[in-house]
Amino acid sequence: MKTLADPASILTRELATIRTAFQVPDGFPPAVQAEAERAAGRLPSDHADWTDRPFVTLDPAGSTDLDQAFAIDASEGGFILHYAIADIGWFVDPDGPIADEAWRRGQTLYLPDGKASLYPPVLSQGAASLLPDGPRPAVVFSVRVDADGAVALDAVTRAVIHSRAKLGYASVTDADLPAGFGDLTDRLIRAEAARGAARIDPPEQEVAHDADGRLTLTFRTRHASEDRNAALSLACNMAVAQLLIAHGTGLFRVMDEPDDRAVARLRLTARALGVDWPGSATLTQIERTLDPADPRQATLMLAIRRAGNGASFRAFAPGETPWHAAVAAPYVHATAPLRRLADRYVVEAALAVANGQAVPTHVAQAFPRLPKAMARSDSRAGQIDRAVIGMAEAALLSGREGEVFDAVVTGVEARGADIQLCDLPVTARLAPAGLTPGDRVTVRLTGTDVSRRSSAFALAS
C-alpha cells in the first residue's frame, strides 16, 4: 500500500507510530546530505553524448525518482530497446557517507503518507533522476528483441541522455510513445506466456472514503501501460542476467514455485472470493486469467503474491543456474538503482564486463554481502506493509463491531485458522477448534483496534 486518502487525518497519528516502531528514517544525517549536495554538481566526463536520441520515461504521474527511460530502434525484423538507467553510481563514492547510509537503508521505504528514500532527494529526485528538465548521466542497456520476443544484450554504454517527456500511466496515449512500443511489448508479453512466466503485479491497495464518509479499502487502478512498461524492465533484467552468467559474476533475484500446500490455500482463497479456478488449471494458468480491475480477482492476485516462497538475492556461484520461478528465467534487479541498493552494483558489473573490463573490486566484494543486506531491508519493508494493511483493515472495519461476514477457512495450524472474508479484501485468524481448510463459515466482528493494527473475529454460531 503506497497511497492514502485521509482528508480528516484519522490515520496520521497511527502512521507516525508505524514509522517510529520500524525505525523509518526521517531525512538524512548532515554529513550524508552535505556530500550529496556536493555530488549533485558532478558533471559527466566519461559518458557518450546520446542527447539527440528521443528517450521518454513512463511512470506514475507524481513520481520524481525516475530510474528508467527508453528509446526504440527498428532492426532487421526486430527491435533494439535502448533502456537507460539512472547512473547513481556516477555520483556515489563507494567508500563515502552516501554509500554507507544506502547500505543501512537497503531500499526506499513506502508508506501511504510518504517515502523514506534510499538516497537524498537532491540526487534521487534531482541530479540523478531521468527527469526531462535537462541532460542526465545514464547507463544504457541496448537490448535486441527478435520476432519471438527473445532478448540479447548488444551493448552497455555510459551516456548522457535527455528525456523528451515524462509520461504518466493514466494519461499516456499511443501517440506519446516511441514508434514500435506496442509491437515490441506485445512480443515480450507473448514470450513471457510461451516460457511459462507468471508475473503477478497486483494493484496497490489504498484507503479512501466512500460516499458516506466511511473509510474503505480499495485497489488502485492498474493501467495497461503499466504492464507494458514492466515488460520492458523485465526484458532488460533478463538480458543483463544472461550477460553476467556468461562472465561468471553478478547478483541474481531467485524464487521457488509456491509449494503444494500454498497452492491448496490459494484455491480456497479463490473459492472464498468467488473466483472460478477449474480443477485442471495450474496456478500459472489461473494467474494469466486474472483481471486486476475486478476487486475479487485483485484480492486473489495479492494473495498469490503473498503466498510465494519469497524472492531473495543470490550471488553467482559456479555450477548453479539462478532461477526465478515467476519469470521462468534467470533474472536480476538492475533497473531501479535509485530505489534499491543492489541494482547499483549489478549495473556497475554489467557496464564493466560488457566493455571488456574487470568487475570493480568494490562491486565484486559487495555481491556476497548484498543478499543478507537486502533480506534485512526486504523484511523491514514487508513488516511495514503488513502493519499498514493491518491498520487499514482495522480502520475499515471500525464501527462495524457486531456485524457478521461470510468467510472461507484457507488454512489451519495449531496457532489458529486463517480466514478470507468473501466480500472484503480482509484476512483474519480464528481459534482453530473444529475447523478444516475449505470450510465456509459466518464470523462476527468482535473488535477492532487501529492502534494495535488488529481486527478480531469469532464464529457467529
Side-chain angles (χ1 to χ4, degrees):
M1 179 189 297
K2 297 178 183 177
T3 55
L4 177 67
D6 185 26
S9 299
I10 297 171
L11 303 178
T12 300
R13 183 180 62 188
E14 303 309 329
L15 287 170
T17 300
I18 289 174
R19 287 176 172 273
T20 300
F22 295 100
Q23 299 180 331
V24 177
D26 182 14
F28 286 84
V32 176
Q33 184 64 36
E35 179 61 24
E37 290 172 1
R38 285 192 293 270
R42 186 181 183 193
L43 298 176
S45 61
D46 193 24
H47 295 68
D49 184 356
W50 282 34
T51 54
D52 62 333
R53 303 195 181 214
F55 282 92
V56 297
T57 62
L58 181 57
D59 296 274
S63 295
T64 51
D65 49 351
L66 307 186
D67 290 286
Q68 310 136 12
F70 58 91
I72 298 170
D73 289 336
S75 176
E76 300 176 357
F79 295 96
I80 297 178
L81 166 66
H82 298 293
Y83 209 57
I85 304 301
D87 192 3
I88 186 66
W90 179 253
F91 297 97
V92 177
D93 178 353
D95 297 317
I98 301 173
D100 291 345
E101 182 67 15
W103 274 87
R104 281 188 285 271
R105 297 184 180 219
Q107 62 186 278
T108 296
L109 298 173
Y110 293 92
L111 286 91
D113 59 347
K115 62 190 176 187
S117 297
L118 176 62
Y119 296 105
V122 68
L123 294 177
S124 62
Q125 300 175 53
S129 179
L130 302 182
L131 294 160
D133 58 357
R136 293 291 197 279
V139 176
V140 183
F141 295 98
S142 296
V143 180
R144 187 173 298 274
V145 183
D146 70 14
D148 295 324
V151 300
L153 197 57
D154 270 9
V156 184
T157 309
R158 203 161 219 162
V160 175
I161 71 162
H162 192 166
S163 172
R164 297 296 192 270
K166 180 179 181 291
L167 306 177
Y169 291 139
S171 58
V172 66
T173 67
D174 290 344
D176 298 325
L177 292 160
F181 177 83
D183 192 1
L184 169 60
T185 53
D186 281 345
R187 294 182 185 194
L188 295 173
I189 292 169
R190 286 196 300 268
E192 289 180 34
R195 68 174 183 270
R199 180 164 51 84
I200 289 296
D201 291 307
E204 295 168 5
Q205 287 177 289
E206 58 187 10
V207 181
H209 289 79
D210 63 18
D212 297 324
R214 287 199 310 191
L215 289 170
T216 181
L217 191 61
T218 62
F219 290 99
R220 180 182 67 80
T221 300
R222 187 173 177 89
H223 301 278
S225 59
E226 196 168 351
D227 291 324
R228 290 184 176 275
N229 193 44
L232 300 183
S233 178
L234 182 65
C236 181
N237 284 321
M238 288 175 55
V240 174
Q242 295 168 11
L243 171 74
L244 295 179
I245 289 172
H247 286 82
T249 188
L251 182 75
F252 300 85
R253 192 69 164 161
V254 296
M255 187 178 76
D256 295 331
E257 293 278 6
D259 59 25
D260 291 343
R261 184 180 180 187
V263 173
R265 290 172 67 103
L266 289 170
R267 283 186 176 275
L268 296 174
T269 298
R271 183 191 302 177
L273 296 168
V275 177
D276 183 42
W277 186 338
S280 60
T282 65
L283 175 60
T284 298
Q285 289 169 335
I286 197 66
E287 285 171 333
R288 293 183 189 144
T289 70
L290 297 178
D291 178 5
D294 181 319
R296 291 172 179 260
Q297 295 184 47
T299 300
L300 181 58
M301 293 175 73
L302 194 63
I304 293 171
R305 168 66 66 84
R306 293 170 175 168
N309 289 324
S312 60
F313 289 90
R314 184 179 301 164
F316 177 83
E320 294 183 7
T321 299
W323 193 255
H324 195 291
V327 178
Y331 177 66
V332 298
H333 274 170
T335 55
L338 298 180
R339 290 170 282 166
R340 270 190 311 254
L341 172 67
D343 297 42
R344 172 163 60 92
Y345 293 92
V346 173
V347 169
E348 291 189 37
L351 179 65
V353 300
N355 290 285
Q357 301 168 2
V359 175
T361 300
H362 75 276
V363 174
Q365 292 176 344
F367 283 152
R369 299 169 52 213
L370 279 165
K372 184 176 181 180
M374 295 306 298
R376 183 172 61 249
S377 175
D378 283 343
S379 175
R380 180 164 67 159
Q383 289 173 334
I384 291 170
D385 184 60
R386 288 189 293 274
V388 171
I389 293 295
M391 177 199 69
E393 290 179 346
L396 165 67
L397 294 167
S398 181
R400 302 182 68 175
E401 290 80 0
E403 289 189 31
V404 295
F405 302 85
D406 292 329
V408 168
V409 179
T410 58
V412 177
E413 300 176 350
R415 59 183 180 175
D418 294 323
I419 61 169
Q420 170 75 55
L421 300 193
C422 294
D423 296 316
L424 291 172
V426 172
T427 60
R429 179 164 288 171
L430 299 174
L435 297 176
T436 58
D439 285 347
R440 285 188 170 272
V441 295
T442 302
V443 296
R444 177 175 287 105
L445 178 65
T446 59
T448 60
D449 191 328
V450 176
S451 64
R452 292 180 180 273
R453 305 183 284 276
S454 65
S455 304
F457 292 85
L459 289 173
S461 58

